[in-house]
Amino acid sequence: MADIVDIAVSNDAFKTLVTAVQAAGLVETLKSPGPFTVFAPTDDAFAKLPPGTIQTLVQNIPQLTRILKYHVVAGKLSQAELAKLGTVTSVEGSIIKIDCSEGFEIKNATVLAADIDADNGMIHVIDTVILPG
């Protein structure tokens, strides 16, 4: 089975995410055994950010790294497990609210595809880049 990075690289909807993970130096971490749960924003999610945001983040690696780590949770958590928890703590250290009452939402993002199994974790595809705070 492919790991989280391999799945992202093989999917054309994650080009911006893959570039950001490479720029932040997180490829090896996300290829490690983990396991991790990743809330993976699509290219369309990144496109919703204000113009110039991505370029600014690529020039500010600590901030980029913080935002990317906010999209990662330790452990392999399915939608059903996340629904039971209600909140999770990101690798970045902040709490992320989970809402499965009507659909499946992670903070202010809607999950487009849930429970994508990876060798070292689980991926949930989201429609919005989530930010700490």
Side-chain angles (χ1 to χ4, degrees), residues 74-102:
K76 184 175 186 172
L77 301 169
S78 68
Q79 177 179 352
E81 292 165 319
L82 289 165
K84 288 179 194 169
L85 294 172
T87 61
V88 290
T89 302
S90 72
V91 172
E92 178 269 341
S94 298
I95 302 292
I96 302 171
K97 186 176 183 291
I98 311 295
D99 183 358
C100 293
S101 59
E102 296 177 26

Side-chain angles (χ1 to χ4, degrees), residues 1-19 21-22 27 30-32 36-43 76 113-126:
M1 185 181 305
D3 65 34
I4 290 167
V5 174
D6 293 338
I7 290 170
V9 168
S10 70
N11 188 321
D12 285 344
F14 297 123
K15 289 181 184 202
T16 306
L17 178 61
V18 169
T19 300
V21 167
Q22 291 169 337
V27 172
L30 291 175
K31 285 183 92 46
S32 72
F36 302 105
T37 297
V38 176
F39 305 117
T42 62
D43 289 348
K76 184 175 186 172
D115 298 345
I116 299 169
D117 205 16
D119 188 44
N120 61 342
M122 186 77 67
I123 300 171
H124 303 286
V125 180
I126 56 176

Side-chain angles (χ1 to χ4, degrees), residues 15-73:
K15 289 181 184 202
T16 306
L17 178 61
V18 169
T19 300
V21 167
Q22 291 169 337
L26 295 174
V27 172
E28 288 308 310
T29 301
L30 291 175
K31 285 183 92 46
S32 72
F36 302 105
T37 297
V38 176
F39 305 117
T42 62
D43 289 348
D44 289 342
F46 280 100
K48 290 181 185 179
L49 294 170
T53 302
I54 296 167
Q55 292 78 4
T56 301
L57 288 172
V58 171
Q59 294 168 359
N60 184 347
I61 298 302
Q63 182 67 11
L64 175 64
T65 302
R66 179 174 180 237
I67 290 169
L68 291 173
K69 286 182 174 181
Y70 186 62
H71 289 78
V72 180
V73 175

